[in-house]
Amino acid sequence: MQSLPTAYRALILGGSGAIGGAMAAQLAADPRCSELVSLHRRSTPALDFDQPQTIAAAARTLSTQGPWHLIVLATGMLSGPTGGPEKRLADLNADHLMASFNTNAIGPALVLAHFAPLLPKHERGILAVLSAKVGSIGDNRLGGWYSYRASKAALNILLKTASIELARTHPQAVLAALHPGTVTSALSAPFRGAQIGRPPADAAHALLATLDTLSPKDSGGFWAYNGQGLPW
């Protein structure tokens, strides 16, 4: 991470997932990363979007160790007990909509609220969230996947709005929404992810390389893993 200080602290939120775990492994191998903490449901402190109070509690615990120069939220939900991607309006159900928004928008919104202040105030800091290209309204040509698209679009506007506010107190901060592409993971497994996805290590490397190119003027943007800017 050339854009960060020579000794930087990193947080991976959602480190038990495929992409989060791969990013944590690569950061752990960087001699310039002086401290790395990976949080998930079973970590100490825990981070569990089904228990919103854990988000604020984890941020309070880690605030004493900061500032944190790199914070990556590597969580996401496409399918689960409440259902999967809807092909038609007739497939919509309230439980799956609520579950999707809880994981893909509400939890991340609380992460932004509690973790963004942990970035340095007067030096470079990056907070990135894993979004998805299907959350782009301008790029939506196929339709379907209502809950996932809508919740990721909500995540994008939350991040964009937060970037405007944070720039007033943290002028060197970069907030970025990232599209990782199709990656071999539990999320993509029901959708031929093992056949068409890239290894998590490759995705992690590409995402970290993309973050390395961003400057404060790019804060609030939406970026693909290859560095391409994506439309809202």
Side-chain angles (χ1 to χ4, degrees), residues 106-124:
I106 298 172
L110 295 175
V111 165
L112 288 169
H114 294 292
F115 280 86
L118 306 189
L119 293 169
K121 284 194 172 183
H122 302 295
E123 59 182 335
R124 177 67 58 82

Side-chain angles (χ1 to χ4, degrees), residues 27-131:
L27 292 170
D30 185 347
R32 294 173 298 124
C33 185
S34 61
E35 187 169 1
L36 171 66
V37 173
S38 176
L39 300 185
H40 47 79
R41 287 188 177 95
R42 297 174 299 281
S43 63
T44 303
L47 187 80
D48 187 344
F49 289 173
D50 291 331
Q51 301 181 53
Q53 69 276 10
T54 66
I55 302 171
R60 283 196 301 271
T61 297
L62 293 169
S63 66
T64 62
Q65 304 171 40
W68 296 91
H69 303 90
L70 175 64
I71 304 172
V72 179
L73 176 61
T75 58
M77 173 197 160
L78 178 54
S79 58
T82 55
E86 312 93 342
K87 295 181 180 180
R88 305 173 302 153
L89 280 169
D91 297 332
L92 288 172
N93 74 80
D95 287 343
H96 190 59
L97 278 163
M98 287 189 287
S100 298
F101 271 80
N102 185 60
T103 298
N104 296 331
I106 298 172
L110 295 175
V111 165
L112 288 169
H114 294 292
F115 280 86
L118 306 189
L119 293 169
K121 284 194 172 183
H122 302 295
E123 59 182 335
R124 177 67 58 82
I126 299 172
L127 191 159
V129 301
L130 289 193
S131 185

